[in-house]
Amino acid sequence: AGVEPLRLDTASSMLERNFIGHLQAYHDKTGLLTREQVASPPHQQQFETLQGTFNGGYAKGAWWVRFRIEASPEQVARPLEGGWWLRLNAPYVDYIDVWWADADASGGFTHRALGGMRSGSKRELPWSIPATRLPELRDTEPCWVWVRLAGDRSLSLAGGVSPLREQAAVQQEFNFADAAIVGMALLMAVLSLTMGIALPDRRFMA
């Protein structure tokens, strides 16, 4: 397949479970291809292995990114409480679609719709980072996960797989960073307003 699968194993670190070195990408210039079409020859042969995370930039059509997940024997025997979650850090991407094969033998696929132009109330986790819960793998056979990225903005994708507690810690870091930026801006505004009143100088007021 050209890439090593992401291993669902609590003994591994978060760094070992990120996308770096595990992704393949294909550019659908028309933006009209379905998952079934992309997964069949000759399209699947055009996927290129990425050395790092994905950065498609501003491009018409859609980008398809795929990777494999693999459960350790311990996870198969004793599934993680709260399950494993797919963490998709894709800033400002309008449409994110995720597919993976159903756990049963039906041959179907589970689909999740995420992205900035989709309602946040329909997400499994109402957070700024798109995330979706992965299925419980019944054996150690690797399973493909397909991600479609589309929109009128720069397309990029980073992330990985995490337990729910680890996912919450990542979200908290983003919340602290946002709060620090907003707090600093408010502090500067109050100081400028105070100096403008005390001097007085309308340049500080502005």
Side-chain angles (χ1 to χ4, degrees):
V3 290
E4 290 294 324
L6 280 165
R7 191 172 177 84
L8 308 183
D9 189 354
T10 54
S12 61
S13 66
M14 184 176 177
L15 184 61
E16 294 175 303
R17 288 185 271 100
N18 65 26
F19 286 154
I20 295 177
H22 298 279
L23 299 180
Q24 292 182 328
Y26 167 69
H27 185 210
D28 169 21
K29 296 181 180 179
T30 67
L32 301 176
L33 295 178
T34 64
R35 194 214 61 81
E36 289 77 12
Q37 291 172 320
V38 170
S40 63
H43 298 297
Q44 69 169 346
Q45 299 173 1
Q46 299 181 46
F47 274 82
E48 296 183 4
T49 300
L50 306 180
Q51 297 301 317
T53 55
F54 168 75
N55 189 353
Y58 291 89
K60 293 184 178 180
W63 276 95
W64 289 82
V65 179
R66 70 179 186 180
F67 55 92
R68 294 183 298 165
I69 54 174
E70 176 187 69
S72 65
E74 293 76 12
Q75 287 299 305
V76 174
R78 294 181 298 276
L80 181 68
E81 183 178 356
W84 287 90
W85 291 75
L86 179 62
R87 186 180 73 259
L88 300 172
N89 186 9
Y92 313 116
V93 174
D94 294 335
Y95 302 99
I96 306 172
D97 293 276
V98 185
W99 289 267
W100 61 76
D102 291 335
D104 54 32
S106 63
F109 282 80
T110 298
H111 173 241
R112 294 288 184 268
L114 303 165
M117 297 300 290
R118 265 80 178 258
S119 173
S121 62
K122 296 182 180 180
R123 298 180 183 180
E124 293 171 276
L125 292 177
W127 292 348
S128 58
I129 302 177
T132 184
R133 182 170 178 171
L134 292 169
E136 290 186 3
L137 301 183
R138 299 185 176 182
D139 52 46
T140 58
E141 185 69 21
C143 170
W144 280 107
V145 177
W146 306 78
V147 181
R148 181 182 183 272
L149 306 168
D152 296 327
R153 308 181 187 185
S154 180
L155 305 178
S156 62
L157 177 67
V161 291
S162 297
L164 185 58
R165 183 181 295 275
E166 190 176 84
Q167 173 82 333
V170 172
Q171 181 63 36
Q172 284 179 337
E173 291 179 3
F174 277 89
N175 290 346
F176 288 146
D178 292 340
I181 293 171
V182 173
M184 187 62 72
L186 291 175
L187 179 60
M188 291 175 64
V190 171
L191 289 175
S192 295
L193 180 61
T194 303
M195 293 179 69
I197 294 174
L199 290 178
D201 189 330
R202 290 188 177 181
R203 288 176 296 178
F204 286 106
M205 300 286 286

